[in-house]
Amino acid sequence: MKFRLPLILLVAFLVASVPLSLAQRPDPEVHGTFEGDPMYTLLEPNAIPAIDDPEYVTGAVAAAQMAAEETVMGVATGTDAVCWSTWQLDRHEIVNDRLDDTPIAATW
Amino acid sequence: MHVRRIADRELTFIVSGKLWRNSLVMMDRETGSLWSHLTGECLEGELTGSRLEQIATVQTTWKDWSDAHPATRALKKDAEIHGSRYQKYFDDPDRIGILPMTFLSDTMTGKTIVHGVLVNGQALAVVDTALTSPIEVECGGTALKIFRGKDGGVRARRVADESELAVRLAYWFAWSSYFPHTRVWPNTE
């Protein structure tokens, strides 16, 4: 019994390590057809985590974490200017936030 | 960018794990409905047929954005990020989405970058490299001025009242798969 768990882990590791060739890769599941085009299911909901409580930095702190050529999505309202790095949004895709008290979702 | 509110009901969005027309499908936590992030339209669930109000954003570089808006807030990073996870995908002209799709490949190559606007159901794609000075163009019965601002971002305004419309930066394959009847500026026909 002692060896059971490591064995299961080893098998799981081997299975995960075998790269599926294109021919073996199962077709992604079609969830439904909308306006004539299929919607595919690739991941479980929230497998890529949206940001719900975004924190922001300004000035030198902001400059230190950004590269000059880094692409950003930005909005300026006159009273506020905010931007989201698309390199960072790659990992989250959605930021739930507020802009001048309006609830907004920045999506990438 | 979307206003995440339908009829005074506030929604929060998560990544559904689904793709439609090779782009993000959002799910709201409150009803589990599925939404296209490109159009803001609810495709499935309790809120089907609802459409999220759009707020115009621009896409540009940190340098150009922060030069024009020195007081800007920037989303805080928890870790160092030195590039896009998808850079190889961006750089390869032959990789068109990750799933099979149809688009108007006769018009221009799939990875051509366009700025898309939608007015009264009429779509218009402005080719990025052609927008070297402000243009006036008609779309959906509305005269528009489309220009690149000091912060490097492309904006569209109605000529009549200067009101701003949402502009979507997109690959041509993605834009034309959503809007096969789109017009293109400059018109190559």
Side-chain angles (χ1 to χ4, degrees):
Chain A
M1 291 303 286
K2 226 183 207 176
F3 298 106
R4 202 180 212 173
L5 185 60
L7 190 63
I8 290 169
L9 286 175
L10 180 65
V11 170
F13 178 74
L14 287 174
V15 169
S17 307
V18 176
L20 291 174
S21 75
L22 278 177
Q24 291 171 308
R25 190 174 296 168
D27 287 336
E29 179 198 336
V30 175
H31 173 73
T33 301
F34 299 85
E35 297 173 25
D37 288 319
M39 182 188 292
Y40 296 99
T41 301
L42 288 97
L43 298 167
E44 290 297 310
N46 213 30
I48 298 174
I51 296 177
D52 285 336
D53 299 302
E55 293 182 61
Y56 293 92
V57 290
T58 57
V61 179
Q65 66 159 29
M66 305 292 283
E69 75 281 9
E70 189 161 356
T71 49
V72 298
M73 184 163 76
V75 61
T77 63
T79 55
D80 191 12
V82 58
C83 71
W84 302 270
S85 157
T86 69
W87 296 356
Q88 195 175 0
L89 293 187
D90 283 348
R91 299 158 186 237
H92 300 284
E93 299 193 356
I94 298 173
V95 180
N96 291 293
D97 200 354
R98 281 176 195 283
L99 186 68
D100 292 347
D101 289 333
T102 301
I104 58 103
T107 64
W108 172 241
Chain B
M1 193 167 78
H2 314 280
V3 175
R4 51 181 179 87
R5 185 173 57 203
I6 293 290
D8 291 336
R9 183 178 192 179
E10 203 168 291
L11 303 170
T12 52
F13 288 101
I14 64 171
V15 178
S16 70
K18 301 180 193 304
L19 284 181
W20 182 58
R21 294 176 174 169
N22 271 298
S23 68
L24 169 67
V25 175
M26 311 187 291
M27 177 185 282
D28 71 71
R29 282 205 181 88
E30 289 72 18
T31 73
S33 299
L34 298 176
W35 305 73
S36 162
H37 106 107
L38 203 124
T39 62
E41 187 181 357
C42 184
L43 299 170
E44 182 184 283
E46 188 183 315
L47 297 171
T48 299
S50 302
R51 193 179 281 266
L52 301 167
E53 183 190 335
Q54 303 295 299
I55 293 178
T57 60
V58 297
Q59 284 172 39
T60 182
T61 61
W62 166 251
K63 183 183 187 324
D64 288 349
W65 177 261
S66 56
D67 284 353
H69 308 283
T72 189
R73 298 185 286 134
L75 184 60
K76 182 183 175 186
K77 293 182 184 176
D78 294 325
E80 290 192 21
I81 302 171
H82 298 290
S84 171
R85 284 184 176 176
Y86 304 110
Q87 198 59 48
K88 283 183 182 164
Y89 168 75
F90 295 149
D91 293 343
D92 185 343
D94 295 327
R95 290 180 66 188
I96 304 292
I98 64 170
L99 293 164
M101 68 184 319
T102 52
F103 71 100
L104 304 177
S105 58
D106 291 348
T107 312
M108 47 191 160
T109 59
K111 284 287 188 70
T112 305
I113 291 173
V114 299
H115 303 279
V117 293
L118 195 57
V119 186
N120 301 328
Q122 170 71 59
L124 170 71
V126 174
V127 177
D128 178 68
T129 52
L131 191 67
T132 52
S133 58
I135 60 169
E136 281 201 15
V137 63
E138 183 272 334
C139 182
T142 307
L144 304 178
K145 183 182 179 187
I146 300 177
F147 61 101
R148 205 179 298 272
K150 284 200 176 91
D151 56 21
V154 170
R155 292 177 169 79
R157 293 190 201 281
R158 293 177 186 84
V159 171
D161 62 3
E162 292 276 296
S163 58
E164 189 165 354
L165 295 97
V167 176
R168 282 283 186 176
L169 188 144
Y171 285 126
W172 170 246
F173 78 79
W175 184 258
S176 65
S177 75
Y178 273 87
F179 306 110
H181 302 294
T182 187
R183 292 166 51 199
V184 175
W185 185 94
N187 190 339
T188 49
E189 286 169 21

